[in-house]
């Protein structure tokens, strides 16, 4: 039952990232779009939903069984983004988004593997900051800033968020073997970036 709850929670989280990405695609102003995109992560942390990039950073502090939860979360996020992408395709807004999402997908898929890995590491680092600030800081202002600013930074910088890209690739019909390999690279990069600060804190016994 707990694994089923985790899967459903992860699907909802993936759907929320898809919704955030959808509103981002509708905006001409990238700053406004990046701000609105962050509503997805903000809702996820408020309702304590399962998002891979928000959980993988805590792997160094967890027991090995935590890997199962991460796997379920990754799969649920994929299903959630795919379902939302399929629903967007059936709506009247899809025609206005199709060209832009195809352009975004093409840029990512035509990039080099090391570039994708580096940009994914940067994104994972920022995602851990966002989630950890919300989790450990007090005060609504700092927690809200802690969510929105890192998300805006990774979007405006062009960093790679594997769950958001699952949505972009689904919406643009880009899935193939090359796309799957890039998703694996992005997953690895987000994981490395997400664990950098936790490993530092663990090695130097910060927060103990």
């Amino acid at each position: 039952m707990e694994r089923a709850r985790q899967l459903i929670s992860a699907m909802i989280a993936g759907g929320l990232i898809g919704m955030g990405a959808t509103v981002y695609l509708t905006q001409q102003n990238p700053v406004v779009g990046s701000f609105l995109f962050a509503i997805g992560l903000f809702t996820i942390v408020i309702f304590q939903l399962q998002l891979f990039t928000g959980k993988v950073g805590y792997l160094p502090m967890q027991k090995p069984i935590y890997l199962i939860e991460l796997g379920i979360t990754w799969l649920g996020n994929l299903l959630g983004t795919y379902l939302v992408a399929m629903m967007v395709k059936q709506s009247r807004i899809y025609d206005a988004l199709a060209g832009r999402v195809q352009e975004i997908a093409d840029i990512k898929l035509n990039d080099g593997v090391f570039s994708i890995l580096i940009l994914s590491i940067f994104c994972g680092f920022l995602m851990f900051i966002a989630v950890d600030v919300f989790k450990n800081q007090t005060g609504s202002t700092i927690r809200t800033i802690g969510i929105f600013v890192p998300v805006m930074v990774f979007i405006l910088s062009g960093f790679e968020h594997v769950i958001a890209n699952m949505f972009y690739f689904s919406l643009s019909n880009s899935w193939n073997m090359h796309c799957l390999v890039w998703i694996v690279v992005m997953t690895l990069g987000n994981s490395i970036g997400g664990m950098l600060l936790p490993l530092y804190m663990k090695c130097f016994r910060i927060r103990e």
Side-chain angles (χ1 to χ4, degrees):
M1 184 62 70
E2 175 59 18
R3 296 306 184 194
R5 183 201 65 79
Q6 290 171 357
L7 180 64
I8 294 171
S9 174
M11 290 176 66
I12 296 171
L16 285 167
I17 294 298
M19 291 179 188
T22 298
V23 72
Y24 169 74
L25 291 171
T26 66
Q27 301 302 306
Q28 298 299 317
N29 186 314
V31 176
V32 173
S34 64
F35 176 81
L36 295 175
F37 181 102
I39 192 63
L41 180 60
F42 186 73
T43 307
I44 288 166
V45 294
I46 288 289
F47 290 95
Q48 300 180 13
L49 299 171
Q50 306 275 326
L51 182 67
F52 178 82
T53 49
K55 294 177 66 65
V56 68
Y58 295 98
L59 180 59
M61 288 86 159
Q62 302 291 329
K63 296 179 180 179
I65 197 171
Y66 189 69
L67 288 168
I68 297 176
E69 184 173 344
L70 286 176
I72 292 172
T73 300
W74 190 94
L75 176 61
N77 291 164
L78 173 61
L79 293 173
T81 55
Y82 183 81
L83 288 173
V84 168
M86 294 305 103
M87 288 189 282
V88 169
K89 284 184 179 182
Q90 303 305 314
S91 73
R92 67 175 184 271
I93 67 173
Y94 175 65
D95 289 342
L97 306 180
R100 188 175 184 196
V101 74
Q102 188 63 60
E103 180 182 359
I104 290 173
D106 288 344
I107 290 172
K108 296 173 185 297
L109 293 173
N110 290 322
D111 200 3
V113 63
F114 291 112
S115 174
I116 289 292
L117 181 64
I118 291 168
L119 296 176
S120 299
I121 291 172
F122 291 165
C123 180
F125 189 84
L126 289 169
M127 285 297 294
F128 176 80
I129 292 173
V131 172
D132 200 68
V133 166
F134 188 89
K135 181 178 180 181
N136 291 293
Q137 299 297 318
T138 58
S140 58
T141 300
I142 187 64
R143 296 174 88 194
T144 301
I145 292 173
I147 289 293
F148 279 84
V149 171
V151 171
M152 292 178 69
V153 169
F154 94 66
I155 291 176
L156 293 172
S157 300
F159 300 159
E160 300 293 351
H161 186 274
V162 65
I163 310 304
N165 288 334
M166 289 174 178
F167 174 78
Y168 294 137
F169 293 154
S170 297
L171 192 62
S172 60
N173 295 314
S174 297
W175 284 107
N176 55 32
M177 186 54 66
H178 173 69
C179 179
L180 182 59
V181 170
W182 256 219
I183 284 291
V184 172
V185 174
M186 292 169 187
T187 300
L188 177 61
N190 285 171
S191 301
I192 293 171
M195 287 188 283
L196 289 177
L197 279 175
L199 285 170
Y200 161 75
M201 290 186 288
K202 184 175 183 179
C203 290
F204 293 97
R205 299 185 177 181
I206 296 173
R207 287 188 182 169
E208 289 188 3

